[in-house]
Each structure stands twice: as structure tokens, then as C-alpha cells.
């Protein structure tokens, strides 16, 4: 992202990860620039994926850009009754088990109050992490219906794997 002249939107060049498919939407909302991959939109609309993860203006301001770190901290909450996931375990990534591995992750803190964990994800494993998180369900995703009655339409997004409810 390259800042433009005062009062104008920045220039944004997006390099998709190898193997990534679909379009990318760049949006300026207030003073922030968001970069939304098409495959994430249903999850964002359903409230399962935090849209702030795509606010590149804030990510850069907080030092989470490529120049400053190779990891991104996330909070993963789990579906009720699921076991906690196994970070970076050596398992079949196509398995649909509730405790399937999420490559490139390391748990930094257990968060029992929210039924989740704080994790670090390695940028170098981002594509594998997303693929394992969304699993085979991502191919069955319906176009997002957005929100109904002001509430996220969670039926519009397929479930995450590994027992993850929200990121």
C-alpha cells in the first residue's frame, strides 16, 4: 500500500498467495483501506471472520505488515462441544475431524472464558492455514446473503473446520 496525496485513497497492489483463486475487492471506508478476498466474504458477512483482519491501514499502523512481522495474532473461538484444535499438528489437512490441524499456528494463550485460544499464524503458511480452516466446505459456499434483521446471516457461510466458530 502506497499512500496517495492528501485527501486521496492510497494505491494498493495485491499479490495473491500461490494457488489463491477469485477476485479481491479493495474498499476505502472512512480513513481505512480494506482488502477483501472473494473467498472470505461469506465468512465476514456471517460474522465468523472479523473484517478488521482486512483493514490494511490499521494492520500496517500496528506493525502487522510484511516489513515488520512474519506472524499475525488471531483469536479463534470454538463451536460448542468441540475440542480445542491442534495447532500445526501433522494430520491429514483434508480430514473433517473437529480437532484437525491448522498449519502455521501456535497457541499463545488459552482463553476458556470465550471458549478459544489466542494463536500466532505464520504468514508463510497463510494459504495452508486458510485451506485447512475452510476445508472442503468452502467449495459448497453459497453467495452471501449478508445480514438479516441487522444480524449476521451465519447460514450463508459454510462452517470452519477444526471446531473453529469465529476468527
Amino acid at each position: 500500500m502506497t499512500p496517495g496525496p492528501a485527501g486521496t485513497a492510497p494505491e494498493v497492489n495485491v499479490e495473491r498467495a500461490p494457488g489463491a483463486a477469485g477476485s479481491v475487492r479493495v474498499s476505502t471506508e472512512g480513513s481505512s483501506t480494506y482488502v477483501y478476498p472473494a473467498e472470505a466474504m461469506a465468512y465476514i458477512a456471517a460474522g465468523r471472520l472479523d473484517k478488521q483482519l482486512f483493514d490494511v491501514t490499521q494492520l500496517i499502523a500496528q506493525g502487522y505488515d510484511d516489513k515488520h512481522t512474519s506472524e499475525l495474532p488471531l483469536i479463534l473461538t470454538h463451536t460448542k462441544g468441540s475440542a480445542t484444535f491442534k495447532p500445526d499438528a501433522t494430520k491429514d489437512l483434508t480430514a473433517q475431524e473437529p480437532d484437525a490441524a491448522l498449519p502455521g499456528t501456535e497457541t499463545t494463550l488459552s482463553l476458556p472464558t470465550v471458549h478459544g485460544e489466542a494463536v500466532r499464524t505464520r504468514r508463510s503458511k497463510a494459504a495452508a492455514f486458510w485451506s485447512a480452516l475452510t476445508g472442503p466446505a468452502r467449495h459448497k459456499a453459497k453467495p452471501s446473503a449478508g445480514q438479516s434483521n441487522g444480524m449476521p446471516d451465519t447460514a450463508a457461510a459454510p462452517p470452519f473446520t477444526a471446531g473453529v466458530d469465529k476468527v
Side-chain angles (χ1 to χ4, degrees):
M1 188 167 92
T2 306
T8 65
E11 179 182 328
V12 179
N13 294 313
V14 178
E15 283 185 39
R16 296 295 311 254
S23 63
V24 175
R25 185 178 113 207
V26 177
S27 173
T28 301
E29 301 172 25
S31 61
S32 289
T33 299
Y34 292 80
V35 178
Y36 300 111
E39 59 266 32
M41 294 305 293
Y43 295 100
I44 295 167
R48 288 196 178 115
L49 189 57
D50 189 336
K51 87 178 233 174
Q52 297 309 310
L53 293 170
F54 304 92
D55 182 346
V56 294
T57 304
Q58 285 302 309
L59 290 170
I60 291 168
Q62 295 172 26
Y64 294 119
D65 57 299
D66 293 342
K67 291 180 184 177
H68 294 97
T69 187
S70 61
E71 299 177 326
L72 182 65
L74 299 172
I75 294 176
L76 306 178
T77 62
H78 302 283
T79 55
K80 290 182 181 178
S82 71
T84 58
F85 77 98
K86 293 179 181 166
D88 221 4
T90 53
K91 294 184 85 177
D92 177 7
L93 296 181
T94 61
Q96 293 184 22
E97 301 173 32
D99 62 347
L102 293 175
T105 61
E106 177 186 345
T107 298
T108 58
L109 184 63
S110 177
L111 303 169
T113 304
V114 296
H115 196 58
E117 284 97 27
V119 301
R120 284 187 298 226
T121 59
R122 288 190 299 276
R123 192 171 265 119
S124 64
K125 299 282 187 175
F129 171 82
W130 180 255
S131 182
L133 181 66
T134 57
R138 74 177 185 268
H139 301 294
K140 299 175 187 170
K142 298 174 188 171
S144 173
Q147 295 189 356
S148 301
N149 301 325
M151 298 300 293
D153 181 2
T154 56
F160 287 132
T161 62
V164 174
D165 184 36
K166 295 181 182 179
V167 179

